[in-house]
């Protein structure tokens, strides 16, 4: 089946620093990927839609200068949390939509970010 | 706007019990409906889906029927196992390209041996 990986799985960073999270589709090409944020015991909230070769589309209320998204290739999207603060601590999950099967989304295992 | 409401958890059952997790939705048009499962420490996996009214999605013994008249997509399983312990998310996609999935709040299920 289609596999999506995320790296790192866990990261701890100090307040004010930036951290990059990678999302890769391992066995399929994905022009479109999605970034979600999941708060403890809460549902997933879509943050942005990442499109290869163009700017990401951010959901209302998500700061695009805070959460930088780069979709550099058909198999890789990155989310950079800039100048992180403790309130950015969360579980970040990406998903990828296969170009050959655009009605599906496959989710990565998530990245736990803790900002101290 | 579109939304998904599912029953609050946690739900705790004994092994081999019957499971129902309720899910209702609000949407314009004809959304596709999904159940995703998240096992501890893992990402989401698609459990089953239904794309039109009266469709029944099924997988791993789980079933859900797309009921347009009641705007519901309840998840059921006749005999749960300890390995079914996870968080279950009901979700909808309001366009055919699955570009935006709206999730319910999730229901944590724990199965006692």
């Amino acid at each position: 089946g289609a596999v999506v990986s995320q790296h790192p799985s866990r990261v701890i960073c100090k307040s004010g620093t930036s951290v990059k999270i990678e999302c890769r589709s391992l066995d399929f090409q994905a022009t479109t990927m999605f970034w979600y944020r999941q708060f403890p015991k809460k549902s997933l909230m879509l943050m942005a839609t990442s499109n290869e070769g163009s700017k990401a589309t951010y959901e209302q209320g998500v700061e695009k200068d805070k959460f930088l998204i780069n979709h550099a290739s058909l198999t890789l999207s990155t989310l950079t949390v800039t100048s992180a603060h403790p309130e950015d601590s969360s579980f970040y999950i990406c998903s990828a939509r296969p170009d050959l099967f655009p009605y599906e989304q496959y989710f990565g295992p998530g990245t736990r970010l803790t900002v101290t | 706007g579109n939304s998904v409401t599912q029953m609050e958890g946690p739900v705790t059952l004994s092994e081999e019990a019957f499971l129902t997790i309720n899910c209702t939705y609000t949407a314009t048009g004809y959304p596709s409906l999904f159940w995703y499962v998240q096992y501890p420490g893992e990402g989401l996996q698609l459990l089953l889906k239904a794309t039109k009214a009266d469709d029944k999605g099924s997988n791993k013994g789980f079933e859900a029927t797309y009921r347009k008249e009641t705007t519901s997509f309840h998840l059921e399983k006749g005999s749960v196992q300890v390995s079914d312990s996870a968080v279950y998310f009901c979700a909808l996609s309001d366009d055919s390209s699955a570009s935006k999935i709206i999730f319910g709040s999730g229901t944590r299920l724990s199965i006692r041996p």
Side-chain angles (χ1 to χ4, degrees), chain A residues 41-69:
Chain A
K41 299 184 179 181
K42 298 290 185 183
S43 187
L44 282 74
M45 300 298 294
L46 180 64
M47 299 174 65
T49 302
S50 170
N51 298 294
E52 190 271 338
S54 64
K55 291 183 178 180
T57 304
Y58 290 82
E59 295 299 301
Q60 192 172 10
V62 178
E63 299 177 60
K64 61 181 179 182
D65 295 330
K66 172 82 171 170
F67 299 100
L68 299 179
I69 291 172

Side-chain angles (χ1 to χ4, degrees), chain A residues 26-43:
Chain A
L26 297 186
D27 49 4
F28 62 95
Q29 292 186 334
T31 300
T32 302
M33 295 185 178
F34 304 90
W35 287 96
Y36 295 84
R37 183 173 178 175
Q38 186 179 25
F39 293 96
K41 299 184 179 181
K42 298 290 185 183
S43 187

